[in-house]
Structure formats: structure tokens, C-alpha cells
Amino acid sequence: MPNRFFALIVMVVGVAALAAPTASKAQTPTLHHLPNVTATELDGRLLETIEEQTEAALEEVGRRLEALGLTYRDVVVSNVFLRDSRLFQGMNGVYRTFFDTAPPTRATVEADLPNPDALIQFTFVATPDAKEFVAPSGLRSPALPYSWGIRVGNTLFVSGATSRDPDTFQPVTGDVPTQTRRVFGNVGMVLEAGGMGYEDLVSCKVFLND
């Protein structure tokens, strides 16, 4: 993904849940939240590169998952906050080694981080429950380490979406309404593949560059 589109395109993260009155309690997944994970030091040494900080942070995540009896394969949501979008390639190269198969959904945005030494901050959601990976046939894969959607029980997690053409994955430019319609068009394809629709959305995060 070209770096310049991190700050210039609306991004959406959605979570949809079926509102069936007969849904059993077993359909509600057990979720473990791992918020605000950063790593700026290791053995008293300051970690100065995005590769070092990404690796150390993800290793810390692994330890937290292990304490819960989970592994990286149990992660269903990954939110990545970068101090500078130009760090994306360095982050992604390391990230891919931790989530090489069946990766979680993911959204990556540029953000001001509270820790002045941090180049990257992660937030994860993991579950021990069975997962169904959702991949819309009409939405081209970006060849990046994330899944379009993951359904766990009656909950569907959807990756961050940008205004990209579903056939070519090239940017769809234009004003905010034009880009927003394309974003929700892409989200809608994931919802449909997961057996849901816009009416099932219960949470949506929107990132604007201005």
C-alpha cells in the first residue's frame, strides 16, 4: 500500500453482530483485549528502529497470549498505530513473520503516540473460540498479512477499509463523499460474505486526515 494513502483516505473498522432474539449465549464469543502495546527498550537498550520496536512489541504480545492459554493464531483483531506512515514497510516486514498464516483483521493508521519514544503501538483482540475466515470473491486481495473478515460466533470483525477499487485495489480518488461511498461499498462486500448487512453494524471507527 503506497504510504501517502494512510493520511489521505478515510479508514473504517467495523464490528457486526447478528441481532437474532433466539441467539444462544454460546454464540457470543469470549474476547480478550490487549490494548496499547509498545516496546521502546530491551535489556536496558533503547530500541530506535521500527523493526526493533515491532518485533519486541509482538514478542510481548506473545507472552501475554501465552498467559491466557492462547497463541498468535487466536488473534482476530489487530490495530496498528504508526507515528509516521513511512514506517509501514518496515513494520509490515516484521509483522508478517508473526502472522504468516490465517492473519487477523487489521487496520493501520498514522497517529500521535502518547509515548514519545514509541514509533508504533498495537491493540489486539483474541479469542479461543472457533473462527470462520471471510474473503469476498469480488474483493481483490491486497497481498498483505491480514484477513478481510473473521467471524466468531455471532460477531464479525472487519478489517480497515480504504477507498480502493475492488477489482484492481488501486485508489479511488475524489472528495470525501466519493471516497466514503467506496469505503462502505468495500465494507459491504465483507458484510455480505459474512452473512450480514449494514444494519448489523454495532461499532465503527472512522479515521480522517483533517
Side-chain angles (χ1 to χ4, degrees):
M1 181 183 297
N3 293 332
R4 65 182 182 276
F5 297 115
F6 274 93
L8 298 178
I9 295 181
V10 180
M11 301 187 71
V12 178
V13 181
V15 179
L18 289 178
T22 58
S24 67
K25 184 176 180 181
Q27 287 185 299
T28 302
T30 300
L31 301 178
H32 297 278
H33 294 263
L34 289 72
N36 307 328
V37 182
T38 60
T40 59
E41 293 186 8
L42 182 64
D43 299 328
R45 179 176 64 88
L46 184 65
L47 302 177
E48 298 180 345
T49 70
I50 186 62
E51 290 84 0
E52 289 177 321
Q53 290 197 15
T54 301
E55 181 175 10
L58 291 178
E59 287 179 346
E60 171 60 21
V61 168
R63 288 188 286 271
R64 296 188 191 184
L65 289 169
E66 184 177 8
L68 295 168
L70 304 175
T71 70
Y72 294 106
R73 290 178 179 267
D74 296 309
V75 177
V76 291
V77 176
S78 171
N79 290 318
V80 184
F81 302 94
L82 291 171
R83 182 172 298 281
D84 188 327
S85 63
R86 291 172 294 183
L87 300 172
F88 176 81
Q89 296 298 340
M91 173 278 296
N92 199 59
V94 176
Y95 183 98
R96 189 185 295 273
T97 66
F98 285 83
F99 298 102
D100 55 340
T101 59
T105 62
R106 189 176 83 176
T108 305
V109 297
E110 182 178 283
D112 292 329
L113 303 180
N115 185 336
D117 294 325
L119 301 175
I120 188 168
Q121 179 173 300
F122 292 99
T123 294
F124 293 99
V125 178
T127 178
D129 298 343
K131 304 160 193 67
E132 175 189 352
F133 290 85
V134 177
S137 59
L139 194 57
R140 181 175 176 177
S141 170
L144 292 170
Y146 67 79
S147 299
W148 286 120
I150 299 178
R151 183 164 178 170
V152 185
N154 63 356
T155 301
L156 174 65
F157 300 97
V158 181
S159 272
T162 57
S163 61
R164 290 178 178 271
D165 186 288
D167 296 321
T168 65
F169 207 65
Q170 293 302 304
V172 173
T173 58
D175 57 14
V176 170
T178 299
Q179 293 191 30
T180 302
R181 280 189 289 270
R182 182 63 268 158
V183 166
F184 275 100
N186 293 345
V187 170
M189 296 174 74
V190 182
L191 292 174
E192 183 178 7
M196 299 188 185
Y198 298 115
E199 68 276 10
D200 297 307
L201 283 171
V202 295
S203 177
C204 183
K205 298 176 182 177
V206 182
F207 300 92
L208 298 170
N209 76 314
D210 191 335

